[in-house]
Amino acid sequence: MSLDRREAMKVAAMSAACGLAGSLASRGSAAPQPPLPERPEVPGVEWDKAPCRFCGTGCHVQVGVQDGKVVAIAGDQQAEVNRGLLCVKGYHVGGILYGADRLTKPMLRVDGELQPIEWDEAIDIVARRIMEAGPKFGMYLSGQSTIPEGYAGNKLMRAGLSNNHLDANARLCMASAVTGFLSTYGVDEPAACYDDLDNCDALILWGNNPAEMHPVLFSRVVDRRIRGDEIEIYDIGTRWTRTTERADHHLLMKPHGDLAIANCVAQQLIEWGAVDEDFVAKHCNFRADRTPETTCKHDDYLAMVAEKGSAGLFGEPIDYAQYKELVSFYTPEKASELSGVPAEQLVMLAKLFANKKRRIVSLWCMGMNQHTAGTAINNLVHGIHLLSGHWGKPGDGPQSLTGQPSACGTVREVGTLSHALPGGRLVVNPEHRAELEQRWNLPEGRMNPEIGFHTVKMFEEFCKPTAEGGAINTIWVQVTNPGQSLPNTKKLFKAKEGQPDKFLIVSEVYPTATTELADLVLPSAMWVEKNGVYGNSERRTQQWFKMVDPPGEARDDCWQIIAVARRLLELGHEGLKDKDGEWLFTIRDDNGQEVPIWEWENYYGSVNVDRALFDEYRQFTFLKHKNVAPYDQLVTHRGMRWPVIETANGGFKETRWRFVEGSDVYVEPGKELQFYHSVTKDDRALIWFRPHQDPAETCSGAYPFMLTTGRVLEHWHTGTMTRRVKQLSNAMPKAYLEMNADDAREMGIANGEEVEVRTARGKMRLPVWLNGRARPPRGTLFVPFFDETASINDLTLDAIDPFSKQPDYKKSAARVTKTADLDPHSSDEVQP
Ligand SMILES: Nc1nc2c(c(=O)[nH]1)N[C@H]1C(S)=C(S)[C@@H](COP(=O)(O)OP(=O)(O)OC[C@H]3O[C@@H](n4cnc5c(=O)[nH]c(N)nc54)[C@H](O)[C@@H]3O)O[C@H]1N2
Ligand SMILES: Nc1nc2c(c(=O)[nH]1)N[C@H]1C(S)=C(S)[C@@H](COP(=O)(O)OP(=O)(O)OC[C@H]3O[C@@H](n4cnc5c(=O)[nH]c(N)nc54)[C@H](O)[C@@H]3O)O[C@H]1N2
Ligand code: SF4
Ligand SMILES: [Mo]
């Protein structure tokens, strides 16, 4: 029986939506299927390619446009990432453009109300406010900003305003992965790629839920079972999720149990003599936060570091003997006590690493990054792959997953973080600054040598009254919704209210928790209403063209930055000129004529601004062997994975595995593997000793539960886009409190009952969901953060990792009270 095309597409859609296996049509099952058409043929509908607007998987869609509107979405069969498949969000991505309340006019707050104003006035206000604020101005961008937007913002801030208070929401997301890569390999970003998922024998998930968060990637693995491949899935995590349903082994751990688990794998490999000694001797050095004088016991080491303090992100060298002595502490019994995972399961995991014949991929995302020891656990997972030699072969290696569609592209590569510069350059390095000044043709000394504020700090300073030293008074936010997504929002966002000297500028597409407190709202064009380039989780840069007009007066974020940069020049800001007096954003047409791109009428005129900015940015990517492809190449591809190398015949070739001979051209012949950016400058990666650490907040009598937060399949983050798509909001309408059924029974709480959940920072009422989609173990709670009407970040803790400055949204001590048991006379004050 053969499926007709429509049926086949439906099956693919359904299976992806459920995060299940499937995709019979597009990937070849036992029975041959008729090929799907390249694009659905619908009269009057024009199709073009674009990456999906949502997650870091980076699927490609075909976008169908009719009469100036997106009317259809199809999975793109030419795309290597998804091979025609999408998840439920992807199939509905077109709908996000058409919420009834799109922002269409700039608005200024006058007497407490947002009033419509003209664009000229809006741009003028931003420019004047920036001039006035000087070093008190901060810019907050996003892993959903396009690469040209991020590059323009970066150039405006560093080159134009000599200001490093530029950070992006990827700080909340990928910062610990970044510091993990930097301190292990000396350079950021995954070396592996999705092809590994087709080749591995075992997949380890270190606290992430890809069945809901990276569904197309997860089905790429699970699908293999339909074809008879044996693939073993190990799910390590703090709750039972939809991913667990597909797993062979579930290692249910206490929060932060991951540190002990990874250390125990190392301890067992050493005890069994199963370390890949040859690999380690050739390719690795050992590190710890501090060098002990001799070999020393675990607890003596901790005492020594406590006394001396941390040596910083790159730590200090230790030798192999010292490393062995330190990890010997993490016996299966000890690690079991610390992690809550039975010792037999720890031994089982270690046996997997001890087996050289199996190919193992480790994947992780927010469980490991939103962690006050996030850098440490990233180091440890890289470390056990290095120690066991499971590194650098197809299907065998660690692969950090990115959350946002361009956290890699726009934030990590472009360098829109407060300590970073384009091209992997660093603010604190004088040579790097000089190099940037030369490339941007700036006068010497233009670049500010001081690191700017990271996200949490930036908003802390913004919310702190100026009289009390608040060092930021103006923030421009683009493509992110900090009013709902920052931790501890009462402290880090809402405290801005009632401070007349603080000014919040928000470029948005819908009214949000952030525009709620905005002083100036700039309506933006989104996704295929503008040109764009994104970079996904496997180093793949993906380009798309504008396909439809934005509604009303909404305009591109990138244009907004350029228009402000022009207005600053007109107002006499010297920083906007290079050392020859030319405006920093000058773009010329083929005849050498300057194009007035700051005028909206000319923005999509004789030049493609995205192309000009991207190709300018591209030169920086050569500095750390991250060569992105030229824009025109990207136009004809479904993304290309960097480094993209120009071949002798003028073609371009992408790279699948970095640092691996035969794949990465920068590896010298005969080396097999070469970590050519190594911290120790000897082509070796670092295997770190990192001890177990308790979470920043632990349960107590007053707050006996551990509250964790995260996401669900149907919604994107703060829900601003997906809650406006009826199909998605019907499927998952409201936030809920997930509780363990036994805990609920003991407390007399019924399924669906409304309860109060409270932390030291705030409280809210939520309906309880028992035995629902996911199940937390006893003593733990889960609340998703998509629902603006029940914003859980009023309750979350704002503790951060000391190196990455990424907050830990996964561990807040909480209590639950039945609504009937609440004392109606008790104060609303939340007591710590
Ligand atoms: N549907 C959907 N998909 C998305 C997104 C979305 O909003 N919606 N957002 C995207 C983005 S930006 C991101 S960052 C990703 C996030 O993707 P994930 O990281 O997969 O999702 P989360 O729900 O944030 O995290 C849930 C996991 O945290 C783990 N966890 C909790 N505490 C700990 C701990 O102490 N250690 C470890 N190791 N694990 C722990 C739990 O086991 C749980 O599985 O999803 C991306 N994909
Ligand atoms: N409790 C809790 N909080 C978390 C997390 C968690 O796990 N738990 N995870 C954190 C993580 S990993 C992340 S990545 C962040 C995400 O946090 P945010 O980035 O704040 O969340 P989004 O909902 O993606 O916000 C994107 C905003 O951009 C708007 N937008 C869409 N397209 C455009 C455009 O083209 N231009 C402009 N100007 N605006 C546009 C959308 O309407 C939306 O309001 O949340 C963090 N917060
Ligand atoms: S998996 Fe991610 S990129 Fe792919 S369709 Fe779903 S949301 Fe879009
Ligand atoms: Mo994220």
Side-chain angles (χ1 to χ4, degrees):
M1 191 187 73
S2 82
L3 301 169
D4 73 33
R5 283 171 186 160
R6 190 183 287 265
E7 280 298 305
M9 286 174 91
K10 244 200 251 163
V11 170
M14 276 160 46
S15 56
C18 302
L20 297 175
S23 148
L24 294 164
S26 58
R27 289 202 228 163
S29 57
Q33 302 293 329
L36 285 171
E38 192 83 328
R39 297 160 171 190
E41 278 164 41
V42 190
V45 174
E46 296 269 338
W47 295 89
D48 202 355
K49 58 135 190 167
C52 171
R53 169 65 183 73
F54 297 119
C55 84
T57 298
C59 298
H60 253 84
V61 298
Q62 283 286 327
V63 183
V65 174
Q66 190 172 33
D67 301 329
K69 255 192 108 164
V70 173
V71 294
I73 295 291
D76 192 329
Q77 293 174 72
Q78 282 187 47
E80 279 174 275
V81 170
N82 54 308
R83 305 161 185 171
L85 200 63
L86 297 173
C87 81
V88 68
K89 288 184 303 308
Y91 284 112
H92 290 293
V93 62
I96 65 174
L97 306 178
Y98 302 115
D101 53 348
R102 273 294 292 270
L103 298 171
T104 55
K105 186 91 188 149
M107 288 184 292
L108 178 69
R109 196 170 295 278
V110 185
D111 299 329
E113 294 292 315
L114 287 172
Q115 309 279 356
I117 58 169
E118 297 307 316
W119 265 113
D120 280 352
E121 190 188 349
I123 295 296
D124 182 64
I125 292 170
V126 180
R128 286 178 192 276
R129 191 71 209 191
I130 290 175
M131 298 270 274
E132 239 172 71
K136 293 190 162 195
F137 173 65
M139 190 166 200
Y140 186 50
L141 298 180
S142 173
Q144 303 165 59
S145 303
T146 67
I147 290 176
E149 287 162 11
Y151 179 67
N154 213 342
K155 194 170 181 185
L156 170 68
M157 290 296 283
R158 325 287 189 173
L161 306 176
S162 307
N163 183 335
N164 292 321
H165 298 317
L166 168 67
D167 218 45
N169 66 351
R171 180 72 72 179
L172 314 174
C173 178
M174 298 313 300
S176 302
V178 174
T179 46
F181 278 108
L182 277 175
S183 53
T184 304
Y185 308 105
V187 67
D188 183 29
E189 291 193 61
C193 63
Y194 299 161
D195 301 44
D196 288 344
L197 300 175
D198 309 330
N199 299 306
C200 60
D201 303 310
L203 180 70
I204 309 174
L205 305 160
W206 290 86
N208 61 309
N209 178 11
E212 296 197 68
M213 305 331 152
H214 296 88
V216 167
L217 283 184
F218 195 55
S219 53
R220 181 160 168 173
V221 178
V222 178
D223 267 17
R224 290 177 45 200
R225 288 177 172 161
I226 298 180
R227 298 196 299 270
D229 279 6
E230 275 184 32
I231 159 134
E232 228 182 350
I233 300 179
Y234 293 71
D235 180 26
I236 305 175
T238 60
R239 47 198 269 271
W240 192 98
T241 66
R242 276 193 169 175
T243 300
T244 319
E245 275 173 48
R246 305 280 138 205
D248 302 277
H249 310 285
H250 186 210
L251 280 64
L252 184 65
M253 65 170 184
K254 297 182 200 166
H256 276 209
D258 40 17
L259 296 156
I261 296 171
N263 274 320
C264 180
V265 170
Q267 184 272 349
Q268 292 282 280
L269 291 174
I270 292 166
E271 191 174 296
W272 299 332
V275 170
D276 187 336
E277 299 288 352
D278 185 47
F279 186 98
V280 170
K282 271 199 207 139
H283 304 300
C284 306
N285 288 315
F286 292 88
R287 276 272 144 147
D289 205 341
R290 287 287 183 181
T291 313
E293 272 168 30
T294 53
T295 52
C296 71
K297 297 265 176 242
H298 183 267
D299 292 356
D300 296 336
Y301 171 84
L302 295 193
M304 187 259 302
V305 175
E307 193 191 313
K308 286 190 178 169
S310 166
L313 175 62
F314 295 102
E316 291 178 349
I318 54 170
D319 62 30
Y320 194 8
Q322 289 172 321
Y323 173 79
K324 285 181 180 168
E325 179 67 31
L326 290 168
V327 293
S328 70
F329 178 79
Y330 295 93
T331 59
E333 294 67 36
K334 187 73 204 170
S336 173
E337 182 190 318
L338 291 168
S339 66
V341 175
E344 312 80 76
Q345 281 193 313
L346 297 173
V347 173
M348 171 189 68
L349 185 67
K351 277 194 182 145
L352 173 67
F353 278 93
N355 186 345
K356 288 294 296 182
K357 293 202 196 98
R358 317 270 328 262
R359 287 166 299 171
I360 310 169
V361 167
S362 282
L363 292 182
W364 65 94
C365 203
M366 284 315 103
M368 271 176 46
N369 293 349
Q370 293 174 346
H371 196 302
T372 49
T375 306
I377 181 61
N378 270 268
N379 287 146
L380 290 181
V381 171
H382 290 299
I384 55 177
H385 274 272
L386 292 164
L387 200 64
S388 59
H390 285 287
W391 209 105
K393 291 176 288 300
D396 211 16
Q399 164 81 14
S400 133
L401 287 178
T402 312
Q404 298 180 89
S406 199
C408 280
T410 304
V411 182
R412 296 160 74 172
E413 286 151 37
V414 176
T416 52
L417 291 167
S418 58
H419 64 281
L421 298 170
R425 288 358 217 174
L426 295 172
V427 164
V428 290
N429 184 322
E431 282 162 31
H432 288 180
R433 292 196 306 275
E435 188 179 3
L436 266 280
E437 283 164 356
Q438 190 243 324
R439 282 171 189 264
W440 276 333
N441 194 35
L442 304 175
E444 215 182 293
R446 170 73 67 78
M447 310 275 300
N448 187 331
E450 236 177 275
I451 289 184
F453 294 146
H454 59 81
T455 299
V456 168
K457 179 83 175 146
M458 190 190 291
F459 282 92
E460 202 171 289
E461 293 298 326
F462 185 57
C463 286
K464 201 192 287 174
T466 309
E468 291 167 27
I472 293 285
N473 67 17
T474 305
I475 297 185
W476 185 0
V477 173
Q478 280 195 337
V479 211
T480 172
N481 185 9
Q484 193 176 334
S485 61
L486 288 171
N488 197 358
T489 25
K490 283 188 178 166
K491 171 180 159 196
L492 294 178
F493 186 76
K494 294 181 179 166
K496 179 257 176 199
E497 197 162 13
Q499 298 192 49
D501 58 332
K502 304 281 175 157
F503 197 81
L504 181 63
I505 304 158
V506 182
S507 302
E508 246 300 341
V509 298
Y510 287 114
T512 65
T514 307
T515 60
E516 190 79 8
L517 290 193
D519 299 286
L520 181 66
V521 174
L522 306 175
S524 293
M526 73 192 294
W527 194 46
V528 296
E529 294 167 354
K530 60 186 178 186
N531 288 340
V533 187
Y534 274 169
N536 85 345
S537 199
E538 57 161 356
R539 292 174 279 107
R540 185 184 289 275
T541 320
Q542 335 205 65
Q543 174 276 351
W544 75 94
F545 285 121
K546 172 179 170 171
M547 299 173 204
V548 295
D549 284 329
E553 293 178 27
R555 295 179 183 180
D556 295 30
D557 297 297
C558 195
W559 173 81
Q560 296 172 23
I561 295 171
I562 288 169
V564 166
R566 186 67 188 188
R567 188 71 194 128
L568 283 163
L569 177 82
E570 290 164 1
L571 291 172
H573 196 304
E574 283 302 310
L576 273 296
K577 291 184 198 155
D578 70 10
K579 72 177 182 216
D580 301 321
E582 183 155 282
W583 182 48
L584 292 182
F585 290 89
T586 302
I587 293 180
R588 296 179 192 285
D589 63 17
D590 291 345
N591 306 319
Q593 276 306 107
E594 179 171 9
V595 183
I597 53 170
W598 59 92
E599 292 167 1
W600 177 242
E601 307 76 69
N602 296 308
Y603 192 69
Y604 284 94
S606 55
V607 290
N608 175 343
V609 178
D610 256 38
R611 180 175 189 266
L613 288 174
F614 185 85
D615 284 341
E616 179 183 315
Y617 157 67
R618 183 171 172 251
Q619 58 165 322
F620 294 100
T621 66
F622 298 114
L623 298 174
K624 271 203 145 180
H625 306 92
K626 296 186 179 185
N627 322 13
V628 295
Y631 187 88
D632 290 340
Q633 282 295 313
L634 297 175
V635 168
T636 58
H637 285 81
R638 304 303 193 261
M640 293 179 85
R641 287 169 285 189
W642 58 256
V644 177
I645 307 300
E646 192 159 4
T647 55
N649 60 8
F652 288 86
K653 191 181 148 292
E654 58 170 0
T655 301
R656 290 194 289 171
W657 291 279
R658 258 179 121 193
F659 310 130
V660 177
E661 188 174 357
S663 178
D664 182 342
V665 295
Y666 294 116
V667 174
E668 291 162 36
K671 290 254 179 177
E672 288 170 34
L673 213 66
Q674 188 182 7
F675 297 108
Y676 47 74
H677 283 295
S678 108
V679 173
T680 37
K681 310 261 183 273
D682 56 359
D683 294 338
R684 289 157 181 271
L686 298 179
I687 296 175
W688 279 80
F689 170 69
R690 296 281 201 187
H692 168 82
Q693 271 177 47
D694 283 330
E697 209 170 62
T698 45
C699 301
S700 65
Y703 296 105
F705 286 96
M706 186 54 100
L707 167 68
T708 182
T709 65
R711 7 178 100 62
V712 292
L713 175 71
E714 295 83 353
H715 286 294
W716 180 251
H717 295 157
T718 66
T720 58
M721 295 179 271
T722 45
R723 288 185 84 224
R724 285 175 170 86
V725 176
K726 217 168 60 201
Q727 295 89 333
L728 298 174
S729 71
N730 285 349
M732 178 57 79
K734 271 185 69 61
Y736 52 85
L737 175 73
E738 211 175 76
M739 234 185 134
N740 179 278
D742 294 330
D743 286 338
R745 193 177 318 114
E746 274 176 18
M747 294 177 70
I749 294 171
N751 197 17
E753 181 176 332
E754 194 180 79
V755 296
E756 183 193 84
V757 52
R758 184 187 269 253
T759 68
R761 293 151 297 276
K763 59 177 190 173
M764 73 172 55
R765 291 191 183 188
L766 286 167
V768 168
W769 195 8
L770 302 176
N771 294 324
R773 179 177 294 187
R775 297 201 291 273
R778 294 201 73 156
T780 64
L781 309 167
F782 171 85
V783 179
F785 76 105
F786 68 83
D787 188 349
E788 190 180 38
T789 66
S791 185
I792 194 63
N793 279 323
D794 284 355
L795 277 67
T796 48
L797 181 67
D798 54 339
I800 55 178
D801 174 275
F803 307 112
S804 70
K805 318 293 182 195
Q806 178 166 348
D808 185 338
Y809 294 94
K810 302 275 184 258
K811 286 140 233 154
S812 303
R815 80 164 164 268
V816 175
T817 315
K818 277 173 76 77
T819 316
D821 294 344
L822 290 170
D823 176 357
H825 306 296
S826 86
S827 125
D828 259 9
E829 283 299 299
V830 171
Q831 300 298 335

